[in-house]
Amino acid sequence: MKRDDTIEVVLRGKTDNRVLSVAPNQSVYEAIEKMAVEGVGALLVISENQLVGILSERDYARKVILKGRSSKETQVRAIMTSPVIYVSRHNTVDECLAMMTKHHFRHLPVVDGSAVFGVVSIGDLVKWIISGQAQTIQELEEYISGKYPG
């Protein structure tokens, strides 16, 4: 569990790697309702099996609430972020963290060819790094106490 591990490895380690999505013509209300039910902060926007956007709670707050729009009357396409910045399964944890930091977002789609392979969140990546650090600490403690195989 290192920073140079690929996102493919991170996705395999997730307990739930479902790709949650909405269509661009759905209402923002339906999308927010789905986010609440699923306990997520973003949904991919997929049309005809193609990734066309991403909708986050931030999009909702800034483009619906603050502008006085109706979430039941506004379509997802009107507020989604598009084009979408995404990564491949072969990008590293470090590369993804750098992208997320640079562009100020918390969810990053993973695309393989034209197919969506998954989504990683900043939380997924932080957990990955912390888990790797815990493993290193344990190995060092075992080495210091003489329990380390070698």
Side-chain angles (χ1 to χ4, degrees), residues 96-150:
C96 292
L97 283 169
M99 253 188 234
M100 293 168 115
T101 301
K102 178 181 178 185
H103 297 287
H104 305 286
F105 50 69
R106 293 175 250 177
H107 300 88
L108 192 55
V110 182
V111 177
D112 184 24
S114 64
V116 177
F117 192 73
V119 177
V120 290
S121 70
I122 192 77
D124 296 330
L125 300 181
V126 169
K127 282 182 204 168
W128 188 261
I129 291 169
I130 289 171
S131 180
Q133 290 172 341
Q135 182 179 352
T136 300
I137 290 168
Q138 181 179 354
E139 289 170 1
L140 288 170
E141 286 174 347
E142 289 173 2
Y143 177 77
I144 291 167
S145 67
K147 296 176 185 174
Y148 194 77

Side-chain angles (χ1 to χ4, degrees), residues 30-112:
E30 291 172 300
I32 295 299
E33 186 174 52
K34 186 171 187 174
M35 283 185 213
V37 168
E38 297 293 344
V40 297
L43 295 170
L44 299 184
V45 183
I46 297 180
S47 178
E48 298 176 12
N49 294 320
Q50 295 293 313
L51 178 63
V52 295
I54 189 166
L55 179 70
S56 69
E57 293 167 328
R58 186 179 289 175
D59 291 319
Y60 175 67
R62 292 179 180 176
K63 298 173 187 173
V64 175
I65 298 296
L66 290 177
K67 296 204 176 193
R69 290 174 149 171
S70 164
S71 59
K72 289 187 177 183
E73 295 172 15
T74 304
Q75 290 187 337
V76 167
R77 73 169 32 93
I79 68 161
M80 69 185 187
T81 298
S82 182
V84 181
I85 295 174
Y86 59 88
V87 294
S88 81
R89 299 183 297 173
H90 308 292
N91 283 92
T92 66
V93 169
D94 234 9
E95 291 169 333
C96 292
L97 283 169
M99 253 188 234
M100 293 168 115
T101 301
K102 178 181 178 185
H103 297 287
H104 305 286
F105 50 69
R106 293 175 250 177
H107 300 88
L108 192 55
V110 182
V111 177
D112 184 24

